[in-house]
Amino acid sequence: MSDINAAEETRPFGTEVGRLLDLVVHSLYSDREIFLRELVANAADATDKRRFLALSDEAPALPENPSVRIAADKQAHTITITDHGIGMGKEELAENLGTIARSGTSAFTASLAAQKPEDRPSLIGQFGVGFYSAFMVADKVEVISRKAGGAEAWEWVSEGRGLYTLKPAAREEAGTTIILHMKPDADEFLEPLRLKTIIRKWADHVALPIELEEDGKFSAVTEGTALWRRAKADISEQDYASFYRHLGHSFDAPWATIHWRAEGTLEFSALLFIPSSKPFMPVEEQHDSKVRLHVKRMFITEGAKLLPSWLSFVVGVVDTEDLPLNVSREILQSTPVLERIRKALVNRVLSELKAKAKDAEDFKTFLVNFGNVLKEGLYEDTGHAEEIAGLLRFVSTKEESTTLDEYIARLPEGQNEIYYLAGDDAAALKASPQLEGFAEKGYEVLLLSDPIDAFWPTRTESYKDKKFKSVSQSGALFAPAEASEALGAICKALQTALGDKVSEVTISTRLKDSPAMLVANDLGPDLAMQRLLRRAGRPAFGLPPKLEINPEHKLILALAGRETLTEEAALLFDLAKLQEGDLPENPAAFVRQIAAQLAKAGG
Ligand SMILES: Nc1ncnc2c1ncn2[C@@H]1O[C@H](COP(=O)(O)OP(=O)(O)O)[C@@H](O)[C@H]1O
Ligand SMILES: [Mg+2]
């Protein structure tokens, strides 16, 4: 070790740095522009540290209005970043920049662990590799630093290939200046406009002002607001609304604003909005949550899937202290910190929805916009299905709009199930013969006409211990009538003609206007589900349906005394399918048959 400080010294990087540099430059970051995020984060950290230490006179106070300054020089091919932070002495330069994974920030944080959280400054970067991201864009990096309270300045220089040099330097004030000698293929970053865009994208909410040189003048380019970090009492509705519009690129006002700070084992701030109108891009297609993740105000990604797809309409920001800046995609998916944040967000959004659902009129707006998306949670997230189901409103045979709780409150004696009929079209559902008999019993039926309605009731199974039951599978409610000899013969003949298309032909006690109706087997999919499966080209499964015939219908009575009913059976079967919104098995043959029958009747 040299005896005089003033001598220039060349040292090798600490162990592993060479390899790690390679890793950082080539794989840790997918996006070169984030070198600026890392260097700005370091400058903000250093300024925070100095501000904090100055409180106890351990460092000289910051200059008035400290900032980070960024200047690009196209002639010299350099970008210079200057701060007034805590600075580094000679050995700190060697320690902090010459050794990897020995993050000065984590050492500093550890030394602060004894302090109360609210006294700690907010420090970005716990990982110890951020600085090296500079070598993604620069083939030489100079760091000129003077420690706050120190007398001399030192310069650290490296081309990132195993060695660095330390030498005395000149710097008037405490702080750090980083000069990046840009690689030939990184010229784009010398454009002030490009720099401005990058800074705004990543660091718009960093509290420390960031100034960019343009035409020889420095001016602030960031907002520094981080609205989510401010106390609710200090934020007006307009502030929220304009932030929401900025975030969601939308023009409406938020329908709900959910702003809170989680304290304790997990610390984060969240500001979430539910839009009051559908976005231009259909939410059904956009599917992945775009809630932005920030770490200590610095933007990280909107790809962290902070909310499940059934809440993908929520826009907003989550800002945590508990993650490093440089989280990779893999870490984003698996870190328990994010898992816990995700859970907390879902619960918070659901409880907000529950509160808002009390105002039925207002809640309708929400359901019209996003009810379909929310419904997806019924089968994607069985853990929350009951809560979600409790929020939804349905059309029923008794009410234009009802919740499941209201439905249950109206249950007559003897009814223990929640009956539903799923189909494509609300008006057609209302007229379905499947409903016949339910009114007499006083049983209310939910009419579900969303495409996904065919799926979720079977998946969700029950709500508050009441099972969902498809009316097209509720044949058991209506015991078949005793068959007279003539009717029995008709049933038998029909059964023979239809073969294994039906499991049974019975005499209905509930049909009024329709000649016949299909009833799905209790086990297996109901009729609406079978229809969807068929449309999707999936093979049918489960037992074939039952055919109930109306013993008072002319069409049925006319069959008495006939021995073979091949054509008639096919016709009845097709008519029953048509009533369900299904196509006859062979539409052309069906049309010919009807035409022939009409001709006979006419002749
Ligand atoms: N502008 C700066 N001013 C003072 N110290 C800095 C500056 N930039 C980097 N450092 C020091 O170098 C260390 C390494 O930085 P970095 O690789 O970004 O890791 P991290 O920020 O995660 O600690 C920091 O912890 C800090 O001690
Ligand atoms: Mg850092």
Side-chain angles (χ1 to χ4, degrees):
M1 178 118 342
S2 100
D3 50 350
I4 29 169
N5 271 347
E8 171 169 326
E9 259 181 66
T10 298
R11 304 182 187 179
F13 278 111
T15 37
E16 307 285 310
V17 170
R19 255 198 288 156
L20 211 118
L21 264 174
D22 217 49
L23 179 80
V24 169
V25 173
H26 293 115
S27 55
L28 193 56
Y29 301 106
S30 40
D31 206 352
R32 290 212 297 179
E33 68 181 39
I34 63 95
F35 76 94
L36 205 57
R37 181 187 82 185
E38 295 296 333
L39 298 180
V40 167
N42 284 350
D45 271 354
T47 310
D48 278 352
K49 278 186 205 174
R50 179 166 170 187
R51 181 181 290 119
F52 184 73
L53 292 175
L55 290 177
S56 51
D57 289 328
E58 288 169 71
L62 282 168
E64 233 176 279
N65 307 321
S67 64
V68 190
R69 294 190 148 185
I70 300 173
D73 183 334
K74 281 189 194 170
Q75 263 76 51
H77 287 267
T78 58
I79 293 176
T80 303
I81 300 158
T82 309
D83 67 59
H84 297 99
I86 190 71
M88 288 173 276
K90 181 187 177 188
E91 287 312 315
E92 282 171 311
L93 282 166
E95 278 263 298
N96 297 339
L97 308 183
T99 336
I100 213 89
R102 248 201 66 83
S103 162
T105 298
S106 22
F108 179 76
T109 312
S111 76
L112 286 177
Q115 312 240 17
K116 273 191 265 148
E118 60 270 25
D119 295 338
R120 286 178 212 152
S122 176
L123 302 172
I124 305 172
Q126 309 277 333
F127 208 52
V129 292
F131 170 76
Y132 296 100
S133 64
F135 288 102
M136 292 193 296
V137 293
D139 45 26
K140 182 164 112 184
V141 178
E142 289 176 72
V143 181
I144 300 144
S145 195
R146 178 165 161 183
K147 175 124 182 143
E152 63 211 9
W154 282 86
E155 177 173 353
W156 179 101
V157 191
S158 176
E159 292 178 8
R161 278 193 235 103
L163 298 176
Y164 62 89
T165 301
L166 283 168
K167 59 184 179 212
R171 203 181 191 287
E172 295 265 306
E173 300 166 303
T176 302
T177 300
I178 296 178
I179 303 168
L180 307 174
H181 296 266
M182 303 301 277
K183 289 179 178 175
D185 69 353
D187 268 4
E188 53 175 311
F189 298 111
L190 297 170
E191 284 298 333
L193 193 64
R194 178 90 168 92
L195 286 174
K196 196 192 279 188
T197 311
I198 300 173
I199 297 163
R200 285 210 177 134
K201 172 170 171 191
W202 299 102
D204 204 21
H205 296 279
V206 169
L208 186 66
I210 300 167
E211 297 173 357
L212 185 67
E213 188 194 42
E214 255 176 305
D215 308 321
K217 280 200 314 274
F218 280 96
S219 55
V221 291
T222 53
E223 297 265 351
T225 44
L227 196 67
W228 59 88
R229 289 262 182 157
R230 304 216 320 245
K232 268 162 110 163
D234 301 340
I235 307 174
S236 71
E237 208 167 308
Q238 280 89 337
D239 293 337
Y240 277 130
S242 70
F243 182 60
Y244 159 77
R245 286 187 199 110
H246 165 78
L247 262 188
H249 309 289
S250 43
F251 303 97
D252 58 342
W255 175 76
T257 301
I258 320 173
H259 184 195
W260 82 105
R261 175 156 182 79
E263 314 255 8
T265 48
L266 191 64
E267 295 198 354
F268 64 87
S269 305
L271 175 51
L272 305 178
F273 301 100
I274 298 173
S276 56
S277 56
K278 275 195 198 189
F280 292 125
M281 162 110 104
V283 255
E284 291 86 351
E285 277 161 39
Q286 155 206 311
H287 235 72
D288 279 342
S289 160
K290 289 277 197 304
V291 169
R292 293 161 62 98
L293 176 66
H294 286 239
V295 169
K296 293 172 187 168
R297 291 167 167 254
M298 193 66 86
F299 173 57
I300 304 296
T301 177
E302 55 177 21
K305 297 193 182 158
L306 291 174
L307 284 170
S309 57
W310 51 274
L311 289 176
S312 58
F313 50 83
V314 177
V315 295
V317 176
V318 170
D319 188 355
T320 178
E321 324 271 316
D322 296 333
L323 282 176
L325 260 194
N326 12 40
V327 278
S328 66
R329 254 171 244 281
E330 297 74 52
I331 293 178
L332 277 180
Q333 263 153 40
S334 62
T335 173
V337 172
L338 276 186
E339 250 342 286
R340 276 152 59 206
I341 292 180
R342 288 188 184 107
K343 233 190 215 148
L345 298 182
V346 169
N347 287 336
R348 191 67 176 72
V349 172
L350 278 177
S351 62
E352 177 74 14
L353 288 176
K354 262 183 238 168
K356 301 266 292 179
K358 287 182 187 133
D359 181 345
E361 204 43 46
D362 182 39
F363 201 65
K364 212 189 268 166
T365 321
F366 165 75
L367 286 176
V368 165
N369 290 333
F370 305 114
N372 282 357
V373 185
L374 189 69
K375 257 187 193 173
E376 288 171 25
L378 289 174
Y379 59 86
E380 273 170 19
D381 187 342
T382 39
H384 288 105
E386 185 155 299
E387 276 173 283
I388 297 168
L391 291 168
L392 298 171
R393 303 196 136 262
F394 306 94
V395 179
S396 82
T397 46
K398 288 192 181 161
E399 300 287 332
E400 269 316 302
S401 165
T402 179
T403 63
L404 292 175
D405 288 312
E406 290 161 3
Y407 177 99
I408 290 175
R410 284 190 296 270
L411 282 185
E413 270 291 312
Q415 184 190 342
N416 276 313
E417 273 115 350
I418 300 173
Y419 289 101
Y420 69 92
L421 179 62
D424 301 330
D425 178 275
L429 285 177
K430 267 198 176 132
S432 170
Q434 294 284 351
L435 295 172
E436 284 179 23
F438 279 85
E440 270 101 291
K441 279 192 178 300
Y443 288 10
E444 179 174 1
V445 177
L446 302 177
L447 303 173
L448 309 179
S449 57
D450 267 348
I452 81 162
D453 284 339
F455 298 99
W456 67 260
T458 38
R459 175 85 191 232
T460 308
E461 285 183 6
S462 63
Y463 178 78
K464 299 201 172 158
D465 292 331
K466 303 273 182 268
K467 277 206 160 31
F468 289 106
K469 182 114 179 114
S470 167
V471 300
S472 74
Q473 288 180 303
S474 305
L477 272 184
F478 308 95
E482 277 297 317
S484 65
E485 204 175 309
L487 281 169
I490 294 176
C491 286
K492 200 171 257 167
L494 288 173
Q495 179 122 41
T496 314
L498 290 170
D500 51 16
K501 278 194 220 162
V502 294
S503 59
E504 203 184 344
V505 180
T506 60
I507 295 162
S508 181
T509 50
R510 57 170 156 160
L511 279 178
K512 301 229 159 49
D513 307 322
S514 327
M517 165 174 104
L518 290 169
V519 179
N521 200 276
D522 266 6
L523 309 168
D526 77 341
L527 291 178
M529 183 77 127
Q530 289 180 24
R531 201 153 54 234
L532 283 184
L533 290 171
R534 231 178 351 259
R535 280 182 203 159
R538 306 278 194 81
F541 64 92
L543 283 175
K546 218 162 65 168
L547 187 71
E548 272 187 25
I549 57 170
N550 181 348
E552 269 138 44
H553 200 282
K554 269 196 200 157
L555 206 63
I556 300 294
L557 294 172
L559 302 177
R562 311 255 297 268
E563 237 154 69
T564 48
L565 294 174
T566 320
E567 282 203 358
E568 293 78 1
L571 192 64
L572 268 183
F573 186 71
D574 279 344
L575 286 173
K577 286 185 79 166
L578 264 178
Q579 260 173 341
E580 295 307 319
D582 225 343
L583 280 180
E585 299 215 314
N586 181 342
F590 176 76
V591 169
R592 274 198 304 273
Q593 231 183 328
I594 292 276
Q597 294 287 344
L598 287 175
K600 254 193 245 167

